Amino acid sequence: MAQPLEGLTAIVTGAGRGLGRAEALELARLGARVVVNDYGQPGRDGSGEASAAPAEDVAAEIRAAGGQAVAHLGDVADHEQARALVQLAIDTYGKLDILVNNAGILRDRMVFSMTEDEWDSVIRVHLKGHFNTTHFAAVHWRERAKTAGGPVHGRIVNTSSEAFLAGSAGQPNYAAAKGGIVGLTTSTALALAKYGVTANAICPRARTRMTEDVFAGFSEPEDGALDALAPEHVAPLVGYLASPAAARVNGQLLVVHGGMVAIAERPRIAAKFDTTKEVFSFEELDDLLTPYYAQRPPNETFAAAEVLGLKHG
């Protein structure tokens, strides 16, 4: 029986550790050939012996299990290195079919304390990094579709966050980047649909090296059970979204962790007010909006804080 992703080529960014590693291993398990990207060079371990870069370790792990994989050590936030990443997939395996954008960093601080560099670096890696790889993958799929005279198999899985949905007071840079990724995803989904390409975003909750401080208060199981925050809870959804079975799933935002997948609904209009004149005045807006908001919960914002309470069961 053929595997769901047999004959397909995938790129996973930030795949040297944590969530990206779990995603790369799952795609390989489902039959995909994987280009494992992570920003990092070979170094030396504690004994002074030469050690491979994390991306090379994951690629070797896939090959040892009987799969096909190569490593790419570039920075996806660099436009030309992102181009080289996509080209590596094409040169090595003949084409690209799946792009999983996962690479990211954290520089947490309250907005009144955040430095310009802390803002710029997070926006660069997350949002620009997602755009860079998406751009070059989209060029590839558009050219393939034109050559084929019809749709091709193209799948983009982007990584957003509950920090965007719920509003994270100590992560204005991260929340902004993750919100931007959702906008990029829905725009890309509409732009590439005619070529057979889908683009979806996930909001994963996983205990990784990057999030160890964020989830420090969440205890790990002591009975040998799988941690509810294990990346392995997220990877199967990525495998599904990358597959032909998910052809009708496009432009969606899904929250996933701990044995649960929740589909986020698009924003709805809560109220609408029309001026009785040619143009609103301050006084008319005061008469309409002030009483409306006086009846709303005082701390309610556009953020959906209730998403943080979602759990399996």
Side-chain angles (χ1 to χ4, degrees):
M1 182 177 178
Q3 295 174 293
L5 305 183
E6 186 173 332
L8 302 179
T9 301
I11 287 173
V12 183
T13 71
R17 303 177 178 88
L19 187 57
R21 172 183 174 275
E23 292 166 343
L25 294 176
E26 177 68 3
L27 294 179
R29 188 187 71 81
L30 295 174
R33 302 166 297 203
V34 184
V35 179
V36 181
N37 161 266
D38 204 66
Y39 185 51
Q41 301 300 321
R44 295 190 178 278
D45 60 23
S47 65
E49 295 295 321
S51 61
E56 292 175 334
D57 286 338
V58 175
E61 187 176 355
I62 290 172
R63 292 193 297 268
Q68 298 182 62
V70 295
H72 177 269
L73 307 184
D75 176 9
V76 294
D78 181 284
H79 204 60
E80 290 307 310
Q81 292 184 51
R83 183 202 302 270
L85 170 60
V86 172
Q87 195 60 48
L88 176 63
I90 297 167
D91 291 345
T92 305
Y93 299 118
K95 61 189 175 82
L96 173 64
D97 305 285
I98 300 158
L99 171 62
V100 180
N101 284 311
N102 170 76
I105 61 172
L106 289 179
R107 299 290 186 270
D108 294 351
R109 204 177 296 275
M110 301 294 282
V111 68
F112 44 76
S113 302
M114 182 163 289
T115 67
E116 181 181 16
D117 181 67
E118 288 166 342
W119 173 271
D120 288 348
S121 61
V122 168
I123 297 297
R124 177 182 179 272
V125 175
H126 287 274
L127 187 52
K128 187 183 178 187
H130 272 60
F131 162 73
N132 284 344
T133 54
T134 296
H135 167 74
F136 292 113
V139 169
H140 171 66
W141 287 324
R142 183 169 178 259
E143 291 174 349
R144 275 179 54 196
K146 287 184 174 181
T147 300
V152 298
H153 181 98
R155 298 286 186 269
I156 300 172
V157 182
N158 287 333
T159 306
S160 183
S161 171
E162 292 170 297
F164 151 68
L165 284 173
S168 181
Q171 298 179 302
N173 47 4
Y174 184 70
K178 293 307 190 181
I181 285 168
V182 174
L184 172 64
T185 302
T186 54
S187 174
T188 302
L190 292 174
L192 301 185
K194 64 182 178 181
Y195 302 119
V197 179
T198 66
N200 294 287
I202 62 171
C203 294
R205 189 186 298 180
R207 195 192 308 273
T208 66
R209 188 180 68 159
M210 190 179 83
T211 62
E212 59 187 356
D213 292 337
V214 176
F215 295 126
F218 291 76
S219 60
E220 299 184 46
E222 298 178 355
D223 58 0
L226 184 65
D227 185 357
L229 294 175
E232 287 76 15
H233 286 295
V234 177
L237 176 61
V238 173
Y240 168 75
L241 293 173
S243 74
R248 290 177 60 87
V249 185
N250 194 27
Q252 301 296 307
L253 180 63
L254 303 99
V255 180
V256 54
H257 57 80
M260 179 215 76
V261 174
I263 300 171
E265 183 61 280
R266 66 185 186 274
R268 301 285 186 178
I269 302 302
K272 175 178 175 290
F273 301 96
D274 296 307
T275 182
T276 58
K277 308 175 182 63
E278 183 179 2
V279 63
F280 272 116
S281 66
F282 172 89
E283 291 76 16
E284 188 178 16
L285 288 170
D286 185 19
D287 288 341
L288 292 171
L289 297 182
T290 301
Y292 173 77
Y293 279 105
Q295 298 173 23
R296 300 287 293 270
N299 295 320
E300 183 181 76
T301 71
F302 186 77
E306 64 272 14
V307 73
L308 298 178
L310 291 173
K311 60 182 180 179
H312 175 255

